[in-house]
Amino acid sequence: VDGSDGTAFLQIAAEAAEDVMNGGVFSLYSDYQTLFNQVGYSGNSEVMLWRDYNSITLNIANVIQQQWPNRCGYTLFAVDSYLCTDGDPISVSTNYMGNKDLSTIEINRDPRLAATIMVPGDLVEIDADGIENYWSYPDFSSTNTGLTGYESEKYRNAQYNADYGDFTEDTSRIIFRYAEALLIFAEAKAELGTITQSDLDRSINLLRDRVGMPHMTLGAITTDLEWPNYGYTLTDILYEVRRERSVELMAEGFRADDLYRWRAHSLFDGDQPRGAYLEDGIVNTTLDAADASLDADGYLLPFASTGDYNFDESKAYLQPIPLDELSLNPNISQNPGW
């Protein structure tokens, strides 16, 4: 947001987040891996607001838990966003082992990647007999297929529940958590140009401590040779703060709003998302290469049939106002372009 009003909003955001940080009510939960697949969050130090599910007594079920991978999948862009364990991006880190083999893609990477995507050997389910079933490769044969090949580990509750004869339907959903306040604080301060090392140490570096990642150090951000193309340049610290927000909050429903807020249509306009690497139909997946749409480098193009994104920035940053609302209030006019 530009101008004095934008600065004011950023200051308000930083101060509101800092009030939460100074309040002493919330703190980070100890384990990122298991934060998202719990039944009930009463007493969880990080969760500020959550929704309960109880299919047996309340007939309110989190049925998405029984339909893995729910026709959902992560993109190559998302997977490549995770730093290596030395704190450097994959474009420069000597620890990087590539992204073409799912069996090694998580090695030497930010542990939040392992907590987010499925790779061979990950636990899928403990069945009614107590037998543990493990993931081997993306399955493209079912109606719930994850179209990108990067299936979700995050939110996966592997414990069999006899009441449902499958995965539990009662896994709770986090609506607000303390980590978001830390990220709001860091981003607002970075946008204002007032962020200090102390600010980082009490926000983003707490998130990194939880997963054992190196601290973010002001003035010593490693230049990523493949910084995201937002259509404009940013300071190194702001690039890295945005990366941290994307990684920490992956698949929690923030991405679309962030892209709008950042005016980031250059990231995707005229392009389309890519999925996992496919080689001759036998590496990583059960999908036949002859039936797959691939880019020039052999990565899945799950939405090739619909073509590239065509984002009209002259109107698409605003949604059309429903016709019923326009009829109810003649003082409202339709948004530009709609």
Side-chain angles (χ1 to χ4, degrees):
V1 181
D2 296 324
S4 58
D5 288 343
T7 300
F9 289 139
L10 290 167
Q11 189 63 46
I12 290 169
E15 291 174 357
E18 190 168 22
D19 284 344
V20 175
M21 294 160 63
N22 292 338
V25 176
F26 301 101
S27 60
L28 294 178
Y29 182 70
S30 60
D31 183 28
Y32 185 88
Q33 176 88 33
T34 60
L35 176 60
F36 305 97
N37 58 4
Q38 300 180 19
V39 178
Y41 285 103
S42 296
N44 188 297
S45 64
E46 181 169 348
V47 179
M48 304 167 73
L49 182 65
W50 58 283
R51 177 168 183 174
D52 197 12
Y53 292 91
N54 188 318
S55 182
I56 301 300
T57 60
L58 299 178
N59 197 30
I60 302 174
N62 190 354
V63 294
I64 197 170
Q65 295 294 328
Q66 290 197 351
Q67 299 170 351
W68 293 105
N70 312 315
R71 297 190 63 78
C72 296
Y74 300 97
T75 65
L76 177 64
F77 180 90
V79 170
D80 283 352
S81 297
Y82 290 79
L83 297 172
C84 291
T85 49
D86 57 7
D88 286 340
I90 63 173
S91 65
V92 299
S93 177
T94 57
N95 291 341
Y96 180 51
M97 298 187 66
N99 60 17
K100 291 186 176 181
D101 189 340
L102 288 179
S103 66
T104 59
I105 198 170
E106 294 175 352
I107 297 175
N108 298 334
R109 303 289 294 281
D110 184 328
R112 285 172 290 191
L113 179 60
T116 301
I117 68 168
M118 296 292 285
V119 299
D122 281 344
L123 181 65
V124 174
E125 183 181 27
I126 303 173
D127 67 19
D129 299 319
I131 297 173
E132 297 179 345
N133 300 296
Y134 294 94
W135 197 86
S136 298
Y137 44 73
D139 180 4
F140 290 89
S141 63
S142 74
T143 56
N144 289 317
T145 291
L147 300 179
T148 69
Y150 295 121
E151 295 183 11
S152 186
E153 169 83 357
K154 197 169 184 177
Y155 303 110
R156 190 179 289 252
N157 190 326
Q159 189 66 48
Y160 177 88
N161 188 307
D163 289 334
Y164 304 114
D166 205 332
F167 300 108
T168 179
E169 293 182 0
D170 294 346
T171 305
S172 304
R173 182 168 66 87
I174 299 172
I175 299 174
F176 298 133
R177 62 186 180 98
Y178 182 58
E180 184 189 352
L182 301 183
L183 290 163
I184 289 171
F185 174 77
E187 184 183 347
K189 298 280 277 189
E191 286 278 10
L192 289 165
T194 61
I195 195 166
T196 65
Q197 187 61 46
S198 176
D199 292 333
L200 288 174
D201 290 342
R202 59 197 294 246
S203 59
I204 282 176
N205 286 335
L206 295 180
L207 301 175
R208 292 195 173 191
D209 283 342
R210 170 163 60 181
V211 294
M213 282 292 289
H215 278 193
M216 186 183 296
T217 302
L218 195 64
I221 303 295
T222 301
T223 298
D224 192 338
L225 301 180
E226 298 179 358
W227 286 127
N229 175 22
Y230 292 109
Y232 48 85
T233 57
L234 297 168
T235 61
D236 286 357
I237 185 64
L238 197 46
Y239 274 121
E240 206 59 42
V241 167
R242 287 188 181 185
R243 182 206 303 274
E244 193 74 20
R245 179 177 176 85
S246 300
V247 166
E248 175 68 26
L249 300 178
M250 187 68 69
E252 295 182 44
F254 293 94
R255 185 60 173 173
D257 285 341
D258 285 345
L259 293 177
Y260 279 113
R261 183 165 56 84
W262 296 336
R263 195 170 180 82
H265 62 275
S266 291
L267 279 177
F268 54 85
D269 189 28
D271 200 357
Q272 56 183 287
R274 285 156 177 76
Y277 182 75
L278 181 74
E279 181 181 353
D280 298 331
I282 57 174
V283 177
N284 294 342
T285 80
T286 54
L287 186 64
D288 189 336
D291 296 327
S293 296
L294 308 175
D295 71 4
D297 297 316
Y299 294 88
L300 290 168
L301 293 173
F303 306 109
S305 62
T306 59
D308 293 341
Y309 284 119
N310 180 17
F311 187 89
D312 184 352
E313 62 178 298
S314 68
K315 71 173 187 177
Y317 278 105
L318 298 175
Q319 297 294 317
I321 298 173
L323 295 179
D324 287 350
E325 296 299 323
L326 294 174
S327 298
L328 289 170
N329 188 345
N331 294 318
I332 297 176
S333 58
Q334 185 57 273
N335 279 327
W338 295 101

